[in-house]
Amino acid sequence: MPWTHRSFGDATASILRRMRKVIVTGGAGYIGSHTVVELAAAGYTPILVDDLRNSQERAVEGLTTLLGRAPELHRIDCADQAALERVFAQGRIDGVIHFAAEKAVGESVAEPLKYYTNNIGSLTSLLAVMERHGVRKLVFSSSCTVYGQPEKLPVDENAPDHHPTSPYGFTKVVCEQLLRDVCVADPAFRAALLRYFNPIGAHPSAHIGELPLGVPNNLVPFVMQTAAGLRDQLVVHGDDYHTPDGSCVRDYIHVVDLAQAHVKALAMLDEANAPQCDAFNLGTGHGHSVMEVVRTSEEVIGRKLPYTIGPRRAGDVASVYADATKAHEVLGWIAQLGLRESLEDAWRWQQRLES
């Protein structure tokens, strides 16, 4: 399927944003790289900050193809304030989108210190540098894990967000509270807290996509690697949850839809009546079980996939999917792509990786 970009805003808005520099931490990562493409298409100048610990040079090569030039990339750790200072000192920065973080629920249960140190420490470091340079707009990469197991579904932003089931989820709760506190201390500071559900898929061009290091922690890359023969079989973690087929239910959102929401959120922070600090669910509003993803993947790929049922995974909740009404009403954003389209793009990306 050829790539045709769905434009953001009108030509005038794009002209007004031209040359506005936006720092994207974790910009070579899965969601970050797709957001860089959408930022450039909207007229922003993205500046990538990424030490490539959770990404690869291939993502930068893909971005170069899609952007028509090599992106500006600074290979530094966000916890290194001195290195961040040098990036901010190069010229006026209009805002920041902060993706850089460790992100695996199961790993966070086994290695909580790693997650608390990196996820919270990198944000505090970034905020300190932003304060010194007078940069007061931040779009933050949060997660639906802040809700834990919601009492009702779909879950909206008013649900309690202090009962996550993993250290990863709790680092997002802490980071969100830190940003609320910063906004209270500095009334000029504005933040959008974007609570993702489950990003899947890849850019329709197949130039960028998810690049897990080692054994994938996420379902769809594991499915695709199994289909490609890189894994012997897929492991479904639990079939005894209180869900229609016993497997976990999640809200799977196409990564391009998710990326476009970040551009919407950044633009919102420029509006005079924008909320100073607010959270937004980013999801489709529909839940799909793990087994439903497996069956749909088999239809897309054209053959059965080997799988086995394993034990539940630490930190997983049974079911969660979004009420994304607020994102639609405030950001003017709504997910456009469904599960099948996401899996088709993911399979196209996996095939390109193997070619």
Side-chain angles (χ1 to χ4, degrees), residues 241-309:
Y241 286 97
H242 187 59
T243 61
D245 62 19
S247 63
C248 290
V249 171
R250 296 290 183 268
D251 188 336
Y252 295 96
I253 178 173
H254 197 295
V255 66
V256 173
D257 278 336
L258 189 60
Q260 290 175 352
H262 291 75
V263 183
K264 295 276 192 181
L266 187 65
M268 178 203 68
L269 295 179
D270 281 328
E271 297 174 4
N273 61 345
Q276 188 187 5
C277 186
D278 211 352
F280 300 91
N281 284 344
L282 300 181
T284 66
H286 303 287
H288 298 280
S289 72
V290 171
M291 289 309 305
E292 188 177 353
V293 172
V294 173
R295 289 192 296 269
T296 306
S297 296
E298 289 175 336
E299 292 173 6
V300 166
I301 294 162
R303 62 178 181 274
K304 293 291 185 180
L305 297 175
Y307 70 88
T308 186
I309 304 298

Side-chain angles (χ1 to χ4, degrees), residues 101-102 115-116 119-120 123 127 140-149 157 159-182 193-196 277 279:
E102 304 291 351
Y115 278 70
Y116 283 98
N119 292 9
I120 299 171
L123 178 59
L127 288 170
F140 177 65
S141 170
S142 191
S143 166
C144 67
T145 56
V146 300
Y147 298 118
Q149 178 59 69
E157 292 85 354
D161 60 356
H162 299 290
H163 304 285
T165 58
S166 68
Y168 166 73
F170 197 71
T171 65
K172 295 300 185 181
V173 170
V174 173
C175 288
E176 284 194 8
Q177 186 58 49
L178 171 57
L179 287 167
R180 292 188 191 98
D181 292 340
V182 168
L193 317 176
L194 303 186
R195 294 173 177 172
Y196 311 159
C277 186

Side-chain angles (χ1 to χ4, degrees), residues 84-102:
L84 275 180
E85 286 278 1
R86 291 191 288 272
V87 178
F88 276 78
Q90 289 184 353
R92 184 178 182 278
I93 304 299
D94 188 67
V96 177
I97 302 179
H98 183 50
F99 293 104
E102 304 291 351

